[in-house]
Short mmCIF file of all heavy atoms in Angstrom, two decimals:
data_model
loop_
_atom_site.label_atom_id
_atom_site.label_comp_id
_atom_site.label_asym_id
_atom_site.label_seq_id
_atom_site.Cartn_x
_atom_site.Cartn_y
_atom_site.Cartn_z
N ALA A 817 6.08 10.67 11.17
CA ALA A 817 7.25 9.83 10.80
C ALA A 817 8.27 10.70 10.03
O ALA A 817 7.91 11.50 9.17
CB ALA A 817 6.83 8.64 9.98
N GLU A 818 9.55 10.47 10.33
CA GLU A 818 10.62 11.13 9.61
C GLU A 818 10.89 10.33 8.34
O GLU A 818 11.16 9.12 8.40
CB GLU A 818 11.88 11.19 10.47
CG GLU A 818 11.79 12.10 11.67
CD GLU A 818 11.79 13.57 11.27
OE1 GLU A 818 12.43 13.94 10.27
OE2 GLU A 818 11.11 14.35 11.99
N ILE A 819 10.79 11.00 7.20
CA ILE A 819 11.12 10.35 5.93
C ILE A 819 11.96 11.31 5.10
O ILE A 819 11.91 12.52 5.30
CB ILE A 819 9.83 9.93 5.15
CG1 ILE A 819 8.90 11.12 4.93
CG2 ILE A 819 9.07 8.83 5.89
CD1 ILE A 819 7.68 10.81 4.06
N ASP A 820 12.71 10.75 4.15
CA ASP A 820 13.56 11.62 3.33
C ASP A 820 12.69 12.36 2.29
O ASP A 820 11.56 12.00 2.01
CB ASP A 820 14.67 10.81 2.67
CG ASP A 820 14.13 9.73 1.74
OD1 ASP A 820 13.60 10.05 0.67
OD2 ASP A 820 14.23 8.55 2.14
N VAL A 821 13.25 13.44 1.76
CA VAL A 821 12.53 14.32 0.86
C VAL A 821 12.05 13.58 -0.38
O VAL A 821 10.94 13.79 -0.87
CB VAL A 821 13.41 15.54 0.45
CG1 VAL A 821 12.76 16.38 -0.58
CG2 VAL A 821 13.75 16.36 1.69
N GLU A 822 12.88 12.70 -0.96
CA GLU A 822 12.50 11.99 -2.16
C GLU A 822 11.27 11.09 -1.92
O GLU A 822 10.37 11.01 -2.72
CB GLU A 822 13.66 11.13 -2.69
CG GLU A 822 14.84 11.94 -3.21
CD GLU A 822 15.79 12.43 -2.10
OE1 GLU A 822 15.71 11.94 -0.96
OE2 GLU A 822 16.58 13.35 -2.36
N THR A 823 11.27 10.40 -0.78
CA THR A 823 10.14 9.56 -0.42
C THR A 823 8.90 10.41 -0.20
O THR A 823 7.78 10.08 -0.65
CB THR A 823 10.45 8.73 0.84
OG1 THR A 823 11.58 7.90 0.56
CG2 THR A 823 9.27 7.83 1.22
N GLU A 824 9.06 11.52 0.46
CA GLU A 824 7.93 12.43 0.71
C GLU A 824 7.32 12.93 -0.60
O GLU A 824 6.09 12.96 -0.74
CB GLU A 824 8.34 13.58 1.58
CG GLU A 824 7.15 14.44 2.00
CD GLU A 824 7.57 15.35 3.15
OE1 GLU A 824 8.37 16.27 2.95
OE2 GLU A 824 7.03 15.13 4.24
N ASP A 825 8.16 13.23 -1.58
CA ASP A 825 7.66 13.67 -2.88
C ASP A 825 6.82 12.59 -3.55
O ASP A 825 5.76 12.88 -4.15
CB ASP A 825 8.82 14.07 -3.79
CG ASP A 825 9.49 15.37 -3.38
OD1 ASP A 825 8.88 16.11 -2.60
OD2 ASP A 825 10.61 15.60 -3.85
N ILE A 826 7.26 11.34 -3.42
CA ILE A 826 6.50 10.22 -3.98
C ILE A 826 5.16 10.04 -3.27
O ILE A 826 4.12 9.86 -3.90
CB ILE A 826 7.33 8.90 -3.98
CG1 ILE A 826 8.53 9.06 -4.92
CG2 ILE A 826 6.47 7.72 -4.33
CD1 ILE A 826 9.55 7.97 -4.77
N LEU A 827 5.20 10.14 -1.95
CA LEU A 827 3.98 9.98 -1.17
C LEU A 827 2.97 11.10 -1.49
O LEU A 827 1.78 10.86 -1.51
CB LEU A 827 4.29 9.94 0.32
CG LEU A 827 5.14 8.81 0.84
CD1 LEU A 827 5.26 8.88 2.35
CD2 LEU A 827 4.63 7.48 0.35
N LEU A 828 3.46 12.30 -1.76
CA LEU A 828 2.56 13.41 -2.14
C LEU A 828 1.85 13.12 -3.46
O LEU A 828 0.75 13.56 -3.68
CB LEU A 828 3.35 14.71 -2.22
CG LEU A 828 3.76 15.33 -0.89
CD1 LEU A 828 4.62 16.55 -1.12
CD2 LEU A 828 2.57 15.64 -0.01
N ASP A 829 2.53 12.37 -4.36
CA ASP A 829 1.88 12.00 -5.63
C ASP A 829 0.65 11.18 -5.40
O ASP A 829 -0.24 11.13 -6.22
CB ASP A 829 2.88 11.22 -6.50
CG ASP A 829 3.96 12.09 -7.09
OD1 ASP A 829 3.81 13.33 -7.09
OD2 ASP A 829 4.96 11.54 -7.55
N TRP A 830 0.57 10.46 -4.25
CA TRP A 830 -0.62 9.66 -3.89
C TRP A 830 -1.63 10.54 -3.13
O TRP A 830 -2.81 10.41 -3.30
CB TRP A 830 -0.23 8.50 -3.03
CG TRP A 830 0.51 7.44 -3.75
CD1 TRP A 830 1.85 7.38 -3.99
CD2 TRP A 830 -0.04 6.27 -4.35
NE1 TRP A 830 2.15 6.25 -4.69
CE2 TRP A 830 1.02 5.55 -4.91
CE3 TRP A 830 -1.34 5.77 -4.44
CZ2 TRP A 830 0.82 4.34 -5.57
CZ3 TRP A 830 -1.52 4.57 -5.08
CH2 TRP A 830 -0.46 3.90 -5.67
N ALA A 831 -1.10 11.38 -2.26
CA ALA A 831 -2.00 12.13 -1.35
C ALA A 831 -2.82 13.20 -2.03
O ALA A 831 -4.00 13.39 -1.73
CB ALA A 831 -1.17 12.74 -0.21
N ILE A 832 -2.20 13.93 -2.92
CA ILE A 832 -2.93 15.05 -3.57
C ILE A 832 -4.13 14.57 -4.34
O ILE A 832 -5.24 15.11 -4.17
CB ILE A 832 -1.94 15.90 -4.41
CG1 ILE A 832 -0.94 16.59 -3.47
CG2 ILE A 832 -2.68 16.94 -5.26
CD1 ILE A 832 0.22 17.23 -4.15
N PRO A 833 -4.02 13.55 -5.21
CA PRO A 833 -5.24 13.05 -5.89
C PRO A 833 -6.25 12.49 -4.92
O PRO A 833 -7.45 12.62 -5.11
CB PRO A 833 -4.71 11.98 -6.83
CG PRO A 833 -3.29 12.22 -6.99
CD PRO A 833 -2.83 12.90 -5.72
N TRP A 834 -5.79 11.85 -3.83
CA TRP A 834 -6.71 11.27 -2.84
C TRP A 834 -7.54 12.41 -2.23
O TRP A 834 -8.75 12.26 -2.06
CB TRP A 834 -5.92 10.54 -1.77
CG TRP A 834 -6.80 9.87 -0.72
CD1 TRP A 834 -7.34 8.64 -0.79
CD2 TRP A 834 -7.27 10.43 0.51
NE1 TRP A 834 -8.10 8.38 0.33
CE2 TRP A 834 -8.07 9.48 1.17
CE3 TRP A 834 -7.08 11.66 1.13
CZ2 TRP A 834 -8.69 9.71 2.36
CZ3 TRP A 834 -7.70 11.90 2.35
CH2 TRP A 834 -8.48 10.91 2.96
N ILE A 835 -6.91 13.54 -1.90
CA ILE A 835 -7.63 14.68 -1.35
C ILE A 835 -8.63 15.20 -2.36
O ILE A 835 -9.79 15.48 -2.00
CB ILE A 835 -6.64 15.79 -0.92
CG1 ILE A 835 -5.83 15.33 0.32
CG2 ILE A 835 -7.34 17.10 -0.64
CD1 ILE A 835 -4.68 16.23 0.71
N MET A 836 -8.24 15.31 -3.61
CA MET A 836 -9.16 15.80 -4.63
C MET A 836 -10.34 14.90 -4.83
O MET A 836 -11.49 15.34 -4.92
CB MET A 836 -8.38 16.04 -5.94
CG MET A 836 -7.33 17.14 -5.82
SD MET A 836 -6.31 17.28 -7.28
CE MET A 836 -7.44 17.73 -8.51
N VAL A 837 -10.12 13.60 -4.88
CA VAL A 837 -11.20 12.63 -5.09
C VAL A 837 -12.19 12.64 -3.92
O VAL A 837 -13.38 12.47 -4.09
CB VAL A 837 -10.64 11.21 -5.33
CG1 VAL A 837 -11.68 10.14 -5.18
CG2 VAL A 837 -9.95 11.14 -6.69
N ASN A 838 -11.64 12.85 -2.71
CA ASN A 838 -12.47 12.83 -1.51
C ASN A 838 -12.84 14.22 -1.01
O ASN A 838 -13.34 14.33 0.13
CB ASN A 838 -11.71 12.06 -0.41
CG ASN A 838 -11.59 10.60 -0.75
OD1 ASN A 838 -12.58 9.87 -0.73
ND2 ASN A 838 -10.39 10.17 -1.10
N ALA A 839 -12.74 15.23 -1.83
CA ALA A 839 -13.00 16.59 -1.42
C ALA A 839 -14.40 16.80 -0.82
O ALA A 839 -14.55 17.60 0.09
CB ALA A 839 -12.79 17.55 -2.60
N ASP A 840 -15.41 16.07 -1.32
CA ASP A 840 -16.76 16.24 -0.80
C ASP A 840 -16.88 15.83 0.66
O ASP A 840 -17.81 16.24 1.36
CB ASP A 840 -17.75 15.43 -1.62
CG ASP A 840 -17.95 16.00 -3.01
OD1 ASP A 840 -17.61 17.19 -3.25
OD2 ASP A 840 -18.48 15.28 -3.88
N ASP A 841 -15.96 14.99 1.14
CA ASP A 841 -16.00 14.50 2.52
C ASP A 841 -15.06 15.25 3.44
O ASP A 841 -14.89 14.90 4.61
CB ASP A 841 -15.66 13.01 2.54
CG ASP A 841 -16.65 12.17 1.80
OD1 ASP A 841 -17.87 12.48 1.85
OD2 ASP A 841 -16.23 11.22 1.16
N LEU A 842 -14.35 16.28 2.91
CA LEU A 842 -13.33 16.98 3.66
C LEU A 842 -13.64 18.48 3.83
O LEU A 842 -14.40 19.06 3.04
CB LEU A 842 -11.97 16.83 2.95
CG LEU A 842 -11.48 15.43 2.74
CD1 LEU A 842 -10.20 15.45 1.87
CD2 LEU A 842 -11.22 14.71 4.05
N VAL A 843 -13.04 19.05 4.87
CA VAL A 843 -13.03 20.54 5.05
C VAL A 843 -11.56 20.93 4.99
O VAL A 843 -10.67 20.14 5.19
CB VAL A 843 -13.65 20.92 6.38
CG1 VAL A 843 -15.12 20.66 6.40
CG2 VAL A 843 -12.95 20.31 7.55
#
Side-chain angles (χ1 to χ4, degrees):
E818 291 290 327
I819 57 175
D820 60 73
V821 174
E822 293 82 15
T823 301
E824 187 164 68
D825 289 343
I826 293 168
L827 297 185
L828 286 175
D829 287 345
W830 289 86
I832 293 169
W834 183 89
I835 290 170
M836 294 173 63
V837 166
N838 291 290
D840 290 343
D841 297 323
L842 302 173
V843 293

